[in-house]
Amino acid sequence: MAEKRKNFTSKLGVVLAAAGSAVGLGNVWRFPTEVGNNGGAAFILIYLLCVLGVGVPVMMSEFLIGRHTHANTITAFSKLAPGKWWRIEGVAGVFVAFLILSYYTIISGWTLYYLVQSLKGSLLVSQDYSAYFSSFVSNSYIPLLYAVVFMLMTHLVIARGVQSGIERFSKIMMPLLLLIIGVLVVCSFGMPGAGTGLRFLLKPDFSKVTASVVLSAMGQAFFSLSLAMGCLCTYASYFTPDTKLVKTAFSVCSIDTFVAILSGFIIFPAVFSVPNVNPDEGPGLVFVTLPHVFNTAFHSLPLLGYLFSGLFYLLLLLAALTSAMSLHESVTAYVIESFNIRRQKASALVSFCCMALGVLCSLSFGVLSDFTVCGLTIFGLFDFCASKIIMPAGGLIICLFTGWYLDRKLVYNELTNGETVPFRMFRVYVFLIRYVVPIAIILIFINELLG
Ligand code: TRP
């Protein structure tokens, strides 16, 4: 028999768990990379607009679907629209959460490896970090070993359930994460390149803004806020009737954006402290550029270098863990409720299958790197399908569903807890969700197809 459904027990737990889902590799690894690639402050401004205009309303929609139905994502859509094809969004969500988890685990395993190497003192001794990184990721066993350890950590939290697993650990990990960020920002401001780095982050160069920069900003907002894949819908199904959805959405988006920008404040001053290092290094930024920066900048103070790099990779690991928990829970909740099996069994099944898929992703950096589909490795293919196709499509369906299909009264009631919490901007929300967001997403698609 499956367990009885439980809810989060406190407001703080709700916000920290949802913020934990949002704050992840997307903030610390992907956001600074995108900022570096797309010209600094101008990108950040556009990103902020995307979070406000697209992120917040879509998040509110996911919250209301989850809380109204108190069910996993697939059942949620079936309950609200029995017998209709809207259910496809739930199916796609669970499937993609599974797909993302499989490659997210691999990258998280890398951060664990870098953390262990930092602590052992063997990270900051290399001469060539590019070679260091590629020889590590192309190895067939070591990255997998770390990925398995990471998956095990995620598994242990999820197997304990909503209250003593997700809520409890989010309440420990998120404050720790914020503390580490604070320490690292202060350290980073003291570095010699702080001025140049901050200028890069704060001075907008609008000449770099093109359509594709705007679209990257929107894609980044979707990924970073964990939207469209049912993760937040699943978490919202554990919200209590008095959780304020609008306020929670604003809090989660603010925390997520705050962490992303602070990560920029940590990374860019450090990067500009070392001559001849580019901020637009691509995905290698945190695994190739940064160790090089730590090594060079702290050459005369190696102990400080260990501390800085250790804390940085710990930050990355904590961020990844709370996000992986939400991806895992989204799939596990579905398995528990639709096959009616116990949480321990369901979560073990999900962890195992996901790891099996993860093996392919990991090997695609090494022995399987020649195996490509449409020019993409297995890892690239998973990422492409998830973040470039299914995620925007999911966002579109959620908007059409809440904006056009669902009864307006139901939506209003849910967002205002039965008209007990005022929501003056309801009309703005409806306008965004009906017109602005769908059009914006369709533009992404067209651009993607043409590009
Ligand atoms: N938002 C997380 C990050 O920033 C990743 C993530 C967790 C995610 N759940 C998701 C991305 C659901 C898309 C969909 O790293």
Side-chain angles (χ1 to χ4, degrees):
M1 245 310 275
E3 63 174 332
K4 202 172 153 289
R5 254 177 164 269
K6 289 195 174 131
N7 286 333
F8 289 124
T9 55
S10 64
K11 283 194 192 104
L12 186 68
V14 163
V15 172
L16 292 183
S21 166
V23 173
L25 296 174
N27 302 61
V28 191
W29 169 61
R30 207 165 180 269
F31 181 77
T33 306
E34 294 276 304
V35 173
N37 286 336
N38 294 311
F43 178 83
I44 299 187
L45 274 182
I46 298 170
Y47 178 76
L48 291 179
L49 285 180
C50 289
V51 169
L52 262 186
V54 177
V56 176
V58 175
M59 191 177 285
M60 279 160 41
S61 306
E62 282 207 35
F63 280 171
L64 80 89
I65 294 172
R67 212 244 328 245
H68 187 79
T69 52
H70 284 296
N72 68 79
T73 323
I74 298 186
T75 314
F77 279 90
S78 312
K79 270 188 176 174
L80 282 169
K84 298 271 175 21
W85 64 270
W86 292 107
R87 190 170 179 274
I88 185 121
E89 161 56 17
V91 177
V94 170
F95 174 71
V96 174
F98 183 72
L99 210 61
I100 296 182
L101 184 59
S102 75
Y103 70 78
Y104 206 81
T105 305
I106 301 301
I107 304 188
S108 307
W110 298 352
T111 67
L112 184 59
Y113 176 80
Y114 272 62
L115 172 63
V116 171
Q117 299 307 310
S118 295
L119 298 180
K120 272 174 45 191
S122 43
L123 180 65
L124 300 186
V125 292
S126 169
Q127 296 298 328
D128 180 351
Y129 283 99
S130 199
Y132 182 91
F133 177 66
S134 27
S135 87
F136 164 64
V137 296
S138 60
N139 185 296
S140 297
Y141 307 106
I142 302 176
L144 272 178
L145 185 75
Y146 282 87
V148 169
V149 175
F150 179 83
M151 179 58 97
L152 218 63
M153 296 197 245
T154 314
H155 173 84
L156 289 177
V157 176
I158 296 302
R160 297 173 72 108
V162 176
Q163 290 173 357
S164 40
I166 300 174
E167 183 169 0
R168 191 159 140 236
F169 283 92
S170 302
K171 276 185 175 165
I172 301 173
M173 289 195 259
M174 290 307 286
L176 189 61
L177 182 142
L178 294 174
L179 183 73
I180 298 179
I181 291 195
V183 173
L184 288 179
V185 169
V186 173
C187 291
S188 204
F189 276 14
M191 295 181 77
T196 327
L198 292 182
R199 226 165 294 130
F200 176 77
L201 261 181
L202 298 176
K203 208 173 117 231
D205 174 5
F206 286 102
S207 68
K208 293 244 172 72
V209 177
T210 58
S212 91
V213 170
V214 178
L215 299 173
S216 301
M218 172 119 71
Q220 172 61 22
F222 264 93
F223 189 87
S224 185
L225 297 171
S226 302
L227 296 179
M229 285 324 45
C231 283
L232 295 178
C233 216
T234 307
Y235 272 13
S237 72
Y238 307 126
F239 288 2
T240 48
D242 63 348
T243 304
K244 294 178 180 143
L245 300 187
V246 179
K247 202 171 149 206
T248 307
F250 271 103
S251 308
V252 173
C253 289
S254 313
I255 296 178
D256 187 73
T257 309
F258 184 63
V259 171
I261 292 177
L262 285 187
S263 302
F265 280 144
I266 294 171
I267 289 179
F268 291 109
V271 167
F272 282 104
S273 297
V274 173
N276 305 327
V277 173
N278 268 326
D280 52 357
E281 278 289 321
L285 187 65
V286 301
F287 295 110
V288 178
T289 315
L290 277 187
H292 174 71
V293 166
F294 295 149
N295 195 356
T296 320
F298 294 108
H299 203 64
S300 48
L301 296 164
L303 211 61
L304 214 58
Y306 292 150
L307 191 71
F308 197 98
S309 71
L311 274 182
F312 180 79
Y313 291 107
L314 179 62
L315 164 72
L316 212 53
L317 184 72
L318 285 175
L321 198 55
T322 47
S323 297
M325 278 155 42
S326 73
L327 288 162
H328 200 304
E329 177 62 23
S330 172
V331 188
T332 303
Y334 165 70
V335 176
I336 295 175
E337 285 162 20
S338 67
F339 299 103
N340 212 11
I341 53 179
R342 292 176 70 87
R343 173 170 283 271
Q344 278 79 0
K345 230 189 198 169
S347 55
L349 191 71
V350 174
S351 301
F352 182 79
C353 296
C354 217
M355 212 47 243
L357 209 60
V359 171
L360 292 179
C361 290
S362 184
L363 294 181
S364 75
F365 289 94
V367 286
L368 291 182
S369 61
D370 291 334
F371 178 81
T372 55
V373 182
C374 308
L376 292 168
T377 61
I378 299 174
F379 179 90
L381 186 71
F382 283 10
D383 186 39
F384 180 82
C385 290
S387 57
K388 294 270 162 74
I389 300 183
I390 310 183
M391 219 177 311
L396 183 62
I397 299 179
I398 288 179
C399 293
L400 298 178
F401 185 68
T402 37
W404 295 93
Y405 178 81
L406 280 186
D407 178 26
R408 186 85 65 93
K409 194 92 196 102
L410 182 154
V411 173
Y412 186 72
N413 255 327
E414 198 60 48
L415 289 176
T416 56
N417 294 355
E419 300 188 26
T420 57
V421 193
F423 180 24
R424 285 190 206 92
M425 308 263 278
F426 183 65
R427 287 205 171 159
V428 180
Y429 162 77
V430 172
F431 178 72
L432 288 172
I433 212 84
R434 278 194 147 195
Y435 305 101
V436 179
V437 187
I439 293 174
I441 295 176
I442 289 170
L443 286 180
I444 299 193
F445 257 138
I446 296 178
N447 187 72
E448 217 62 74
L449 289 181
L450 297 179

